[in-house]
Amino acid sequence: MEKFKTFTGVVAGVDRANIDTDAIIPKEYLKSIKRTGFGAALFSDWRYNNDGSDNPSFVLNKPETAGAQVLIARNNFGCGSSREHAVWAVQQYGFKVVIAPSEGDTPAFADIFRGNCGKNGLLTIEMTSAQVEEIFQTLEKEPGVKATVDLDAQTVTIHAAGDDMVYPFNADPVLRNKLLNGLDDIAQTLQYAADITAYEARH
């Protein structure tokens, strides 16, 4: 897995709660188990018109958010089915980070989606509702605003006109170590290969 590095990229906001995996990538695109080619299908029902042309009102089709790498939405992102293709679509479009807020008993992300993100190297960041609302308001005033995401320092800096807005976040320590070092589950286990071999020799 590729190491997660600090980067600066454009922020795109999809201002909806409960975005399920069928909205992220509809079922008709789930005909392949290859982990390639899903980026073009991301949000296809919203992103394209019935004739296949781009829907100009959807955020990812706006020139100012072209090539966005930071996706922000409302709570319960990734609910619905457990399809891993949803994570692949988000990642293969070019997003490296998804930000969402938790609200009361409603999580920022569905558990399975969040787990699949971690296994594929896509960072999920949970913020407060007030912080996410503030970022959405900034996006409305400054479409195409950029953010710097620093996983090591656990900060997101929104480079708003006139002043940077810095938001600290808490990453799961195990996941943070995996992403910073580019370790998938197997590579993480192999870190302990000598200990495993020694244990097997003793038993």
Side-chain angles (χ1 to χ4, degrees), residues 94-199:
F95 288 114
K96 296 182 176 182
V97 172
V98 184
I99 298 171
S102 62
E103 295 179 1
D105 294 333
T106 306
F109 302 95
D111 283 344
I112 295 176
F113 178 84
R114 185 204 297 265
N116 286 337
C117 285
K119 291 179 185 299
N120 285 277
L122 180 64
L123 176 63
T124 53
I125 295 177
E126 182 176 324
M127 290 187 178
T128 67
S129 295
Q131 290 172 328
V132 167
E133 178 59 32
E134 189 173 52
I135 295 173
F136 268 112
Q137 290 179 7
T138 300
L139 293 177
E140 188 173 340
K141 295 173 187 173
E142 302 176 44
V145 72
K146 292 185 176 181
T148 296
V149 180
D150 187 334
L151 176 57
D152 194 28
Q154 299 183 88
T155 57
V156 175
T157 303
I158 302 293
H159 301 291
D163 198 9
D164 285 349
M165 301 152 60
V166 182
Y167 300 93
F169 66 89
N170 294 315
D172 175 83
V174 174
L175 177 61
R176 178 169 169 262
N177 179 65
K178 287 175 63 177
L179 295 181
L180 287 173
N181 292 288
L183 302 173
D184 60 20
D185 288 348
I186 294 175
Q188 187 180 37
T189 301
L190 289 176
Q191 287 184 302
Y192 305 99
D195 293 335
I196 294 170
T197 300
Y199 177 86

Side-chain angles (χ1 to χ4, degrees), residues 44-118:
S44 67
D45 286 348
W46 302 335
R47 192 168 154 198
Y48 303 115
N49 297 314
N50 290 336
D51 64 0
S53 61
D54 287 350
N55 172 5
S57 66
F58 188 62
V59 62
L60 298 187
N61 292 329
K62 295 182 181 297
E64 56 269 28
T65 50
Q69 293 179 296
V70 179
L71 176 64
I72 185 167
R74 301 293 182 174
N75 60 290
N76 205 25
F77 189 90
C79 57
S81 81
S82 59
R83 64 190 70 168
E84 194 172 6
H85 304 70
V87 175
W88 300 343
V90 173
Q91 197 170 35
Q92 290 169 19
Y93 177 85
F95 288 114
K96 296 182 176 182
V97 172
V98 184
I99 298 171
S102 62
E103 295 179 1
D105 294 333
T106 306
F109 302 95
D111 283 344
I112 295 176
F113 178 84
R114 185 204 297 265
N116 286 337
C117 285

